[in-house]
Amino acid sequence: MTPDPDPGSHAHSDPDPGSCPSLAPNSDPDPAPGAPPPYDPSRTHRAYARLMLETMPEESRIGLTLGFVRTFGIPGIARVLAGTGRMEAAAKARAKATGVAMFALIGSGVDTEAGRPVVAGLRRVHERPGITTELMRYVMACFTVCPLRFIDEHGHRAVTDEEREGAYAFHTGLLAALGLPRPPDERQLTDVERWMSAYENRHFSPTPQGRALWAATSAGLLAARLPRALAPLAPAVAAALLDPPLRAALDVRPPRAPVRRLVAYGLRTRSRSGARTGARSGA
């Protein structure tokens, strides 16, 4: 369900947003003094891209990783990922490829010289056997919704209305580029979240493939980012980032209270640091 890493592309580089294309400067003329600015879709996209790539890049990266993991709770997706024979052995590389692809699209836009090859890669994924339109739509929803959820819960401020509008515009633009129909009753990001939750209520279920994918991803992704002495705790730390429905779908035990407190303390510390940095930069 994710683009295959291409040895000749940027997909092997680290998916940290700082490595993605810089945002183009806003060259729009300023509105007349006292006049409200006209509605500008590109302005809302810039607000969304700035949030993801500049204002809270670390929270965005963690949230996107959690979106990637969330797809393991859907049996149809877990079977497809496990069926490739590469996901468990190269979980970290596949997660990195996903991060690079999504941050590249967010930074450059969908219908751009840089964005079109990424969209073509996603379309090839959609054409694989077993990838239904509904499954692909769910994956794209996870990649849009989960980073914003994580920012709302753990960032130094909540996502603004303008940023949410930009996220929804990006989401619908990507669906259109992939040839995925948008439901007629969908009008805003809350509709996407509502559909996503209903889909999970119907389909979340433990599977051997989902458990294996979680075991490979939770250890491989986090262990490299922890001090060596804490690396064995990586799966427990990762479990503390999952909500109860996803833990149940992946058959993951709730982490012990000391681990939950450690993770909560770390997130609070990160948030306070981000708030001080944001205050200095005006974010």
Side-chain angles (χ1 to χ4, degrees):
M1 303 297 290
T2 60
D4 289 321
D6 178 357
S9 74
H10 58 281
H12 276 295
S13 61
D14 195 283
D16 289 342
S19 65
C20 295
S22 300
L23 298 180
N26 181 6
S27 58
D28 297 337
D30 293 331
Y39 176 71
D40 179 5
S42 66
R43 186 185 72 244
T44 62
H45 177 77
R46 282 194 297 271
Y48 169 57
R50 190 173 296 114
L51 169 72
M52 297 284 288
L53 304 179
E54 298 176 2
T55 305
M56 284 188 257
E58 186 68 10
E59 288 83 357
S60 299
R61 184 187 62 78
I62 295 172
L64 183 58
T65 299
L66 291 174
F68 176 73
V69 168
R70 200 166 192 87
T71 66
F72 302 167
I74 303 297
I77 298 175
R79 283 193 295 270
V80 170
L81 289 173
T84 66
R86 292 172 295 182
M87 183 63 214
E88 293 175 42
K92 186 177 179 181
R94 295 299 293 265
K96 281 192 171 187
T98 300
V100 169
M102 293 306 298
F103 283 128
L105 285 176
I106 292 168
S108 63
V110 173
D111 189 19
T112 63
E113 184 176 355
R116 284 189 286 272
V118 179
V119 172
L122 291 171
R123 288 184 71 95
R124 287 193 293 273
V125 171
H126 186 207
E127 293 166 359
R128 290 178 181 173
I131 307 298
T132 67
T133 294
E134 193 172 51
L135 287 178
M136 195 69 180
R137 184 181 160 209
Y138 175 75
V139 171
M140 295 299 103
C142 286
F143 291 168
T144 301
V145 169
C146 291
L148 300 186
R149 281 183 180 172
F150 193 84
I151 289 171
D152 274 338
E153 293 172 5
H154 303 295
H156 66 264
R157 65 164 175 80
V159 180
T160 67
D161 289 344
E162 184 177 49
E163 290 161 348
R164 290 179 67 84
E165 289 175 9
Y168 180 63
F170 170 79
H171 176 73
T172 56
L174 182 53
L175 291 187
L178 294 173
L180 300 174
R182 186 178 67 179
D185 57 345
E186 183 187 288
R187 296 288 183 272
Q188 54 190 347
L189 194 61
T190 53
D191 297 326
V192 179
E193 294 171 305
R194 190 178 301 113
W195 176 85
M196 182 175 156
S197 294
Y199 188 81
E200 291 173 349
N201 288 338
R202 295 194 305 272
H203 295 287
F204 261 179
S205 182
T207 62
Q209 296 90 344
R211 286 190 290 268
L213 292 168
W214 165 251
T217 306
S218 61
L221 278 178
L222 285 183
R225 299 181 182 276
L226 293 174
R228 183 175 300 177
L230 294 179
L233 295 176
V237 172
L241 298 175
L242 307 184
D243 59 22
L246 184 55
R247 280 203 298 266
L250 297 178
D251 206 13
V252 175
R253 291 182 179 180
R256 294 174 180 263
V259 175
R260 294 198 303 271
R261 288 196 292 268
L262 176 65
V263 172
Y265 173 78
L267 292 172
R268 284 197 303 271
T269 301
R270 182 194 299 277
S271 178
R272 286 195 292 267
S273 175
R276 289 193 295 270
T277 302
R280 289 194 296 270
S281 64

